[in-house]
Amino acid sequence: MSFFSRLFKSDPVDTLKKAFHQKQYAEVLSRAQAFDLDELEESLRQEVETMMATAGDALAGINFEEGEAFLRAGDRERAADHFVLASAQVKSELLREKIQEGLKSTRIETSSATLSAPGLSSSCVGSCCPPATSGGAPDDSELPPEEEFELILAGYPMEWAEKYIDMVPPFFDGFLHSHRGDSDKALTLFQQVAVDSRTAIFFFERGSTYGRLGETEKALADLRRCLELEPQSLMALETLIHLEKSANQVDQAERRLQGLLKNGFDLAFCHGHLALIHAAKQSLDRALEHGVEAVRAGSKEPEVIFLTASLLESRDRLEEAEILLGKLQGGGCGGVNIPLAEFWLRHGKNSDKALESFKKASAHEPQNLKWAFRMAEAYLAKGWKREGEAILNKLLQSGDLDSQLVEKGRLYLSRGEQNSEK
């Protein structure tokens, strides 16, 4: 979920850097949220923000490509799921625009959607139509309210989204204002909803809105009330657990998950979140145990798969790590996902396939010089010294390459010169 930042107990910056250098991007994002950026020195804050941005874009790129693949296959619902996840991770404006275009494609191609805004019809035109919201849409809104409503719900699980049909007007208005970022206005509208109309989705949306405003106790109260009414809602559970983490109530979140686990509730969900919690607490052995169990239970969550694969790799369980990375979505058109390609590069395997993935990543995001650097590494791994060194020299001369890659690039060139002299 994108509603809350994931703040845990403080982790050392060195640990974050190590995860970043090993391309464990999901772990980077999880660990980075443990820092209060305002309390860090300016140079360190910028470094953490840069790592977060790079990690976010890497994960967003994977989900964007998978969304495109599902869209080409005609599966608009799963395409929308991946685009929404990508939009929560992305930092690059260029990639963000592509993701938004992808989301619009899922909406445009869905002509028979069953979810509609209350009191509105897709065939309603002219002055006979009732106003979409009592508060009115902002002047700069790009979409009509009913389409905005459907676009938001495209990112919700279908069984949860169906509960939003026939929302009462104040709740509908508050829902749109909340998702536009106008939380204060949303709360004012939510207060107008009659007590007997306050269902599980009401408490979920109001709790999420309180969470965005940093009113943690009110948010927790609403989300817990939501779960009293809908105890099987994964969406509400995940939001509550993230909020409990951000409120330094990690132990409570862990107890909640353990209780659910004992009752046989969604093993992939419970083990996956327990893996993330233990990783944040540096209990890496237990994180790995839960991660493996989550995958066995069918978890498809990128964070869980990244974390588990990285922990397996750190323990030299390379075959298991490789198989797990292969489960990640992405690549398309015969390619492989970037994390698997980078794994292969680190371990001297399948350099041809890895190269193709880096070429695709560079084509999607040409301003990110990391992909060109990866291409150079793949060429060198293939033994194509001239091609690899030509790219490295060009990147080093540009002056725009990340300082760590500059150091690594110079090392590659130095080794090449030493080999030539022998």
Side-chain angles (χ1 to χ4, degrees):
M1 300 293 294
S2 60
F3 298 134
F4 309 109
S5 58
R6 305 176 186 184
L7 302 176
F8 298 93
K9 295 179 181 179
S10 179
D11 287 321
V13 177
D14 287 345
T15 303
L16 181 70
K17 290 179 180 179
K18 181 179 179 181
F20 180 76
H21 293 158
Q22 293 176 348
K23 312 301 181 295
Q24 299 168 8
Y25 294 128
E27 190 170 359
V28 168
L29 293 182
S30 178
R31 293 185 185 283
Q33 297 299 337
F35 296 99
D36 185 342
L37 296 180
D38 292 335
E39 294 184 359
L40 297 178
E41 295 180 1
E42 179 65 19
S43 60
L44 190 56
R45 180 182 63 79
Q46 291 180 357
E47 188 174 4
V48 172
E49 288 178 341
T50 298
M51 287 188 284
M52 291 174 67
T54 301
D57 280 344
L59 296 177
I62 293 169
N63 280 292
F64 173 69
E65 288 193 356
E66 187 58 25
E68 284 192 315
F70 278 120
L71 196 58
R72 288 193 297 270
D75 191 339
R76 292 185 294 272
E77 184 177 342
R78 294 185 71 182
D81 287 343
H82 284 280
F83 288 140
V84 170
L85 181 56
S87 68
Q89 298 164 329
V90 69
K91 301 297 181 182
S92 162
E93 286 305 315
L94 180 60
L95 182 54
R96 187 185 304 279
E97 290 174 7
K98 293 179 180 178
I99 292 167
Q100 291 304 314
E101 286 300 314
L103 268 173
K104 289 180 182 178
S105 296
T106 64
R107 172 181 58 81
I108 291 169
E109 295 179 11
T110 308
S111 59
S112 59
T114 58
L115 294 173
S116 299
L120 295 171
S121 168
S122 59
S123 62
C124 181
V125 293
S127 59
C128 64
C129 299
T133 65
S134 60
D139 293 338
D140 60 353
S141 178
E142 296 181 1
L143 297 173
E146 64 272 23
E147 295 187 13
E148 183 182 0
F149 173 76
E150 291 183 2
L151 185 58
I152 294 168
L153 289 189
Y156 283 27
M158 182 58 69
E159 67 277 5
W160 188 248
E162 288 173 346
K163 300 178 184 297
Y164 286 70
I165 299 174
D166 297 327
M167 297 159 65
V168 296
F171 183 30
F172 175 65
D173 296 352
F175 173 83
L176 290 182
H177 278 283
S178 179
H179 286 271
R180 292 169 185 160
D182 189 357
S183 298
D184 290 326
K185 177 65 174 178
L187 289 175
T188 299
L189 290 163
F190 287 153
Q191 290 304 112
Q192 298 174 21
V193 177
V195 173
D196 59 2
S197 296
R198 296 183 177 185
T199 61
I201 61 172
F202 169 86
F203 289 108
F204 175 77
E205 294 296 339
R206 193 176 71 170
S208 299
T209 305
Y210 277 133
R212 294 187 186 102
L213 288 172
E215 297 189 36
T216 305
E217 292 306 316
K218 291 181 179 179
L220 287 170
D222 271 359
L223 290 168
R224 287 166 182 159
R225 177 59 180 150
C226 171
L227 283 171
E228 289 175 5
L229 299 171
E230 289 283 348
Q232 301 298 308
S233 171
L234 286 178
M235 192 169 185
L237 272 169
E238 186 169 19
T239 307
L240 175 58
I241 288 168
H242 285 322
L243 184 59
E244 287 175 336
K245 292 176 185 177
S246 73
N248 290 323
Q249 297 183 19
V250 180
D251 291 340
Q252 185 165 342
E254 184 177 353
R255 286 195 299 271
R256 182 186 308 282
L257 289 164
Q258 291 287 6
L260 291 169
L261 200 57
K262 289 179 181 178
N263 291 326
F265 181 84
D266 200 310
L267 299 182
F269 176 90
C270 294
H271 281 299
H273 280 279
L274 285 168
L276 295 171
I277 286 175
H278 284 297
K281 294 167 67 175
Q282 291 293 294
S283 300
L284 299 185
D285 288 338
R286 295 194 66 187
L288 179 56
E289 291 173 7
H290 284 292
V292 169
E293 289 300 322
V295 173
R296 285 176 180 168
S299 176
K300 298 294 191 297
E301 288 298 318
E303 274 189 299
V304 175
I305 292 176
F306 269 109
L307 171 63
T308 307
S310 66
L311 291 174
L312 287 169
E313 185 179 1
S314 69
R315 287 157 174 74
D316 291 324
R317 293 166 62 177
L318 302 184
E319 184 176 352
E320 295 171 83
E322 182 177 5
I323 292 172
L324 191 50
L325 288 173
K327 295 179 181 292
L328 288 171
Q329 305 291 350
C333 300
V336 299
N337 63 71
I338 289 296
L340 180 56
E342 293 185 319
F343 175 91
W344 283 343
L345 190 63
R346 288 194 296 273
H347 297 285
K349 299 180 63 176
N350 300 327
S351 53
D352 286 331
K353 292 182 179 179
L355 176 60
E356 289 306 310
S357 291
F358 299 140
K359 285 181 177 179
K360 286 178 59 181
S362 183
H364 275 298
E365 199 177 4
Q367 79 282 4
N368 189 341
L369 300 184
K370 180 180 71 173
W371 305 128
F373 191 90
R374 291 285 180 263
M375 289 166 57
E377 289 183 297
Y379 279 127
L380 293 176
K382 285 165 57 66
W384 294 11
K385 181 173 178 290
R386 183 176 62 183
E387 290 82 351
E389 291 185 351
I391 295 175
L392 289 176
N393 279 312
K394 186 176 180 180
L395 290 172
L396 292 174
Q397 291 169 10
S398 73
D400 297 323
L401 193 62
D402 177 85
S403 60
Q404 292 172 342
L405 294 183
V406 168
E407 183 178 347
K408 194 173 183 181
R410 287 173 177 165
L411 182 59
Y412 279 131
L413 293 175
S414 175
R415 288 174 179 171
E417 291 174 358
Q418 291 174 3
N419 291 334
S420 297
E421 292 174 358
K422 291 181 180 180

